[in-house]
Amino acid sequence: MFKGLGGMGDMAKMVKAAQQMHTRMGEMQEQLASTIVTGEAGGGLVKVEATAKGDLTALSIDASIFRPEDKEVVEDLILAAVKDAQKRATDRAQEEMQKLSSELGLPADIKLPF
């Protein structure tokens, strides 16, 4: 189809690949926004749910840890669960990005803006 146009055929392929990547990135972002990961601390006494984009959606605290003298421990467990959920969200997003890069034939170590 682009025979005789020199490098224009390659340019058309690159534009098509860029459009495909843009579409797939949008789909991946939607998927990450609807994927829930759970972080926990204290052997599951505190659980935090977040989307794979890192937005916190829920917090669950086992009632057995509600004693005034344990206030600081509970606060630490909440922070630990939030950090765990955020790490899991980041890990999931990176996994999805690597999968997308592989499907599109991009180098595994490419740094995309998401």
Side-chain angles (χ1 to χ4, degrees):
M1 175 165 116
F2 290 107
K3 197 169 191 163
L5 294 178
M8 293 300 289
D10 290 339
M11 179 64 96
K13 286 180 186 179
M14 287 176 36
V15 169
K16 184 176 180 179
Q19 289 171 337
Q20 180 184 14
M21 185 171 91
H22 179 70
T23 300
R24 294 292 307 275
M25 292 291 288
E27 291 169 355
M28 186 187 74
Q29 290 297 316
E30 288 178 20
Q31 180 184 356
L32 292 175
S34 64
T35 300
I36 301 296
V37 296
T38 303
E40 54 183 68
L45 293 173
V46 176
K47 295 180 182 178
V48 174
E49 289 184 358
T51 67
K53 288 186 78 169
D55 298 324
L56 301 180
T57 60
L59 169 66
S60 173
I61 303 172
D62 188 291
S64 68
I65 63 174
F66 285 113
R67 295 186 314 212
E69 63 270 16
D70 293 334
K71 179 182 179 296
E72 289 181 15
V73 172
V74 173
E75 291 171 344
D76 289 343
L77 289 174
I78 291 169
L79 287 175
V82 167
K83 288 178 182 179
D84 187 42
Q86 290 173 328
K87 181 183 182 322
R88 290 172 189 254
T90 299
D91 291 347
R92 176 57 84 71
Q94 288 176 347
E95 288 171 15
E96 294 299 321
M97 183 59 72
Q98 288 174 347
K99 190 184 328 178
L100 176 61
S101 294
S102 176
E103 290 172 5
L104 294 174
L106 298 172
D109 59 347
I110 191 168
K111 302 291 184 217
L112 295 174
F114 299 99

